Amino acid sequence: MKVSVRSKSDGRKEILDAAAVAFMEYGFAGTSIDMVAEVLGSTKGKIYYHFKSKTSLFLDVHRETMTTYIEAVEEVAKGPGTPLDKLSGILTTLATQVMERLPYAKVAVEGVDMHMSRSTTPEQRAVLREIIDLRDRGEAILVRIIEDGIEQGLLRPCNPRLIVKPMLGALNWMTVWYRPRPQDTPESRKALADTLVNYLLNGIVAPADGRASA
Amino acid sequence: MKVSVRSKSDGRKEILDAAAVAFMEYGFAGTSIDMVAEVLGSTKGKIYYHFKSKTSLFLDVHRETMTTYIEAVEEVAKGPGTPLDKLSGILTTLATQVMERLPYAKVAVEGVDMHMSRSTTPEQRAVLREIIDLRDRGEAILVRIIEDGIEQGLLRPCNPRLIVKPMLGALNWMTVWYRPRPQDTPESRKALADTLVNYLLNGIVAPADGRASA
DNA sequence: GTCTATAGGACGATAGAC
DNA sequence: GTCTATCGTCCTATAGAC
């Protein structure tokens, strides 16, 4: 017995997934709606029934990514632990998300610095604003945690607004070199995330004393 | 008295500059040759006289970027200093290059994971191979320096091949957030580069002892 | 809701004037 | 060498059948 309340969002979700895969492969401008339809296993009629335009589709994929990110970030931020624990947890979560949802992650990376100056309707600009707000909210949370960590003497004094850039950049850059392999498991992904996060927190210069590095 | 040996390469150089600016703004697929011509202040006839296709033009911009990178990297690598000095010097040089040649840097970032599976001639594939070789050469130099640093006890034990990814990723990510400002000077850029490189080398976690962080 | 067919426009690349 | 004009192709988006 199919329930109709799910039918609409399911149709959209499948299209978003297919679009993410296609956009990941060829980029926004390089992907045609026909290519998305081919990934989806249908024709573009279906896509244009659910989405107003290619730009809207791309923006919705991007927003979906950012929403998932912010939810994960806020969950860790609200949880227990020191600022250092939270910082570590957030970075690990994000690294894992990138690996597990690579197509969506790649769309977010391309969307970040896409100037949609041309061909943006007021409605699309509203979605773009939403996306930017989600990103700013996430960055603000990180900045706040770093500030707390510095205050508590857990982190080096630094300019948190500047430091989050390379931190998040290093994670986003995973979309460039990380490729899922058949032998990948949640554990192996976790190990990779831990390695990266450990580097991002502790750097690479050897400590002068015997402080543990892990 | 104009010398003819320069005339050909000068025409190409101007076109490469204009193309880099246009590609930075709209990406490869989103940029038309007419747009490049407009930045150049001419018509596309001039471009097609010097370059066989849009793809060739993009690849030549990308190669130009990678050539500049590798030259800078090799100069520092061959110079004096400890592995830590060299690592620091290379990262600082790259960060500076990104800021000073932002359009070229952005093309390199887009080009890294562009699959030109379609519409690549054998000649273009040769250029692509050249570009990839330049990148691999640069990464190999960094890996070797990190290995030396670990051996000498200057750097933490780690997997160098894995660590160079976030390191270079953080620098490449500058193309996303860094925007040149009128008040920027070589000194202010150097300061920004130093801040980033210091973070990439030392991380952000406070040392347990009184070791200096700068 | 999803399909086919097509209008309408943009772009890569070339031909030929100058 | 650079420009103008244009051909052919591909793509977004819509109209209308089912």
Side-chain angles (χ1 to χ4, degrees), chain B residues 34-103:
Chain B
D34 281 314
M35 291 160 80
V36 175
E38 200 187 329
V39 173
L40 184 59
S42 79
T43 66
K44 59 183 163 192
K46 179 171 182 175
I47 295 168
Y48 276 108
Y49 176 77
H50 289 281
F51 296 87
K52 289 183 83 167
S53 68
K54 181 177 151 182
T55 302
S56 294
L57 177 56
F58 184 88
L59 287 173
D60 279 359
V61 174
H62 192 176
R63 175 170 52 185
E64 163 73 21
T65 313
M66 298 310 291
T67 303
T68 309
Y69 282 173
I70 194 76
E71 281 171 1
V73 167
E74 287 186 334
E75 192 189 326
V76 177
K78 284 174 184 161
T82 66
L84 182 52
D85 293 334
K86 289 180 181 179
L87 182 58
S88 171
I90 286 172
L91 296 181
T92 305
T93 294
L94 287 175
T96 307
Q97 292 258 348
V98 169
M99 290 185 271
E100 288 177 351
R101 291 164 53 87
L102 196 55

Side-chain angles (χ1 to χ4, degrees), chain A residues 83-146:
Chain A
L84 182 52
D85 292 334
K86 289 180 181 179
L87 182 59
S88 171
I90 287 172
L91 296 181
T92 305
T93 295
L94 288 175
T96 307
Q97 292 257 350
V98 169
M99 288 185 271
E100 287 176 351
R101 292 166 52 87
L102 196 55
Y104 281 89
K106 257 191 125 79
V107 167
V109 166
E110 184 183 3
V112 170
D113 62 346
M114 202 162 91
H115 313 273
M116 312 233 224
S117 26
R118 306 167 304 171
S119 73
T120 39
T121 67
E123 193 193 342
Q124 288 168 359
R125 246 169 285 145
V127 178
L128 203 52
R129 169 52 50 196
E130 245 186 277
I131 291 170
I132 292 171
D133 286 346
L134 287 169
R135 186 180 71 218
D136 289 349
R137 217 163 96 204
E139 276 202 26
I141 290 173
L142 269 183
V143 166
R144 183 56 185 273
I145 290 175
I146 293 175

Side-chain angles (χ1 to χ4, degrees), chain A residues 39-65:
Chain A
V39 173
L40 184 59
S42 79
T43 66
K44 60 183 161 193
K46 180 171 182 176
I47 295 168
Y48 276 109
Y49 176 77
H50 289 281
F51 295 87
K52 289 183 82 167
S53 68
K54 180 177 151 181
T55 302
S56 295
L57 178 56
F58 184 88
L59 287 173
D60 279 0
V61 174
H62 192 176
R63 175 169 53 184
E64 162 75 20
T65 314

Side-chain angles (χ1 to χ4, degrees), chain B residues 51-204:
Chain B
F51 296 87
K52 289 183 83 167
S53 68
K54 181 177 151 182
T55 302
S56 294
L57 177 56
F58 184 88
L59 287 173
D60 279 359
V61 174
H62 192 176
R63 175 170 52 185
E64 163 73 21
T65 313
M66 298 310 291
T67 303
T68 309
Y69 282 173
I70 194 76
E71 281 171 1
V73 167
E74 287 186 334
E75 192 189 326
V76 177
K78 284 174 184 161
T82 66
L84 182 52
D85 293 334
K86 289 180 181 179
L87 182 58
S88 171
I90 286 172
L91 296 181
T92 305
T93 294
L94 287 175
T96 307
Q97 292 258 348
V98 169
M99 290 185 271
E100 288 177 351
R101 291 164 53 87
L102 196 55
Y104 281 88
K106 257 192 126 79
V107 166
V109 166
E110 184 183 2
V112 169
D113 62 347
M114 201 163 92
H115 312 273
M116 312 232 223
S117 24
R118 305 169 303 173
S119 72
T120 38
T121 67
E123 192 192 343
Q124 288 169 359
R125 246 169 285 144
V127 178
L128 203 52
R129 168 53 48 196
E130 243 186 279
I131 291 169
I132 293 171
D133 286 346
L134 288 169
R135 186 179 71 219
D136 289 349
R137 217 165 94 202
E139 277 202 26
I141 290 173
L142 270 183
V143 166
R144 182 56 186 275
I145 290 174
I146 293 175
E147 286 169 351
D148 290 348
I150 295 171
E151 239 174 68
Q152 300 182 23
L154 297 169
L155 303 180
R156 299 171 186 275
C158 67
N159 180 344
R161 288 189 184 284
L162 203 50
I163 293 304
V164 294
K165 301 296 187 188
M167 223 145 82
L168 295 174
L171 296 184
N172 279 314
W173 195 251
M174 291 184 79
T175 58
V176 172
W177 58 268
Y178 173 75
R179 289 293 168 273
R181 296 177 164 228
Q183 65 264 34
D184 279 1
T185 62
E187 289 75 25
S188 70
R189 282 193 287 270
K190 179 65 163 60
L192 179 52
D194 285 344
T195 301
L196 292 175
V197 171
N198 178 56
Y199 164 65
L200 292 175
L201 293 178
N202 291 303
I204 191 180

Side-chain angles (χ1 to χ4, degrees), chain A residues 31 41 140 153 167 177 190 201 212-213:
Chain A
T31 302
M167 223 145 83
W177 59 267
K190 178 67 163 59
L201 293 178
S213 65

